Amino acid sequence: MRGIAVERRKLIGVGVGVGVGVGAGLAVLPAWWALHQVANVAKGDWHTDTAPLEQAFPLLGPLTDAKWVSSRDNDRDLPSPELVISGLARLKPGKLAELTAAHAFVSEGPADDFSSWFEKPLKGEGPQNPQWIRSQELDRDGSGHSTHLWFDRRSGTVRFRALNPYG
């Protein structure tokens, strides 16, 4: 009988130890979750697939690489009802020359450096010392669509921000 009592105390002790461990784990959970959320918006947390961009911006032709984010990427309590995509993509060689020959461009750069909450992973990304140009002809506006494209003459990079780019 005495052996059973000792075993029972061990089990109760283990149960208390597990309970304390679980309680401590639950106390650490909010801290872990907060760190996880910060990591989710850290640099490098962007999309690199070019197919959705080529679908949204067919005039840009095949793209060689991209870094982009969406207003629906973060798991916020109230997701954005409208889709906004923003980022950078590289045009294939010669494409910018083709575009500038066919459309009127002016020297104009973006007003900010990816300042929206969902754009934070892209802050500071992009070409060094860009020479941005923009064509009003290539930007779409109306019926819920709004696209802004800025092109860097030096690197063949296009910076974009588009509201409801797929219609």
Side-chain angles (χ1 to χ4, degrees):
M1 232 18 199
R2 188 168 157 86
I4 293 173
V6 170
E7 290 300 318
R8 185 172 174 206
R9 277 185 243 145
K10 283 183 185 176
L11 286 175
I12 291 171
V14 169
V16 169
V18 169
V20 169
V22 169
L26 290 176
V28 173
L29 183 61
W32 171 85
W33 182 81
L35 289 173
H36 179 70
Q37 291 303 102
V38 169
N40 278 345
V41 294
K43 281 189 172 218
D45 192 19
W46 50 61
H47 301 277
T48 58
D49 47 336
T50 59
L53 303 178
E54 291 166 356
Q55 180 185 356
F57 314 120
L59 288 176
L60 300 182
L63 301 168
T64 60
D65 64 64
K67 295 177 185 175
W68 60 278
V69 292
S70 155
S71 62
R72 295 185 183 159
D73 286 343
N74 198 344
D75 53 347
R76 292 171 54 135
D77 292 336
L78 297 172
S80 175
E82 297 184 299
L83 174 64
V84 179
I85 60 172
S86 182
L88 301 155
R90 179 92 38 148
L91 301 171
K92 71 177 184 176
K95 185 64 179 183
L96 185 54
E98 180 185 314
L99 290 170
T100 56
H103 303 280
F105 280 81
V106 295
S107 292
E108 181 184 336
D112 59 28
D113 185 26
F114 298 112
S115 61
S116 185
W117 63 267
F118 71 94
E119 296 174 312
K120 298 233 186 287
L122 296 172
K123 193 163 188 73
E125 294 295 320
Q128 295 295 318
N129 303 314
Q131 293 182 349
W132 295 116
I133 57 174
R134 182 174 177 195
S135 172
Q136 295 291 331
E137 296 173 42
L138 295 178
D139 290 351
R140 296 181 302 180
D141 209 7
S143 15
H145 304 116
S146 175
T147 300
H148 300 286
L149 303 170
W150 298 272
F151 300 86
D152 177 32
R153 288 183 182 270
R154 292 182 189 185
S155 66
T157 298
V158 59
R159 177 174 167 183
F160 56 89
R161 182 174 171 90
L163 170 66
N164 297 325
Y166 305 107

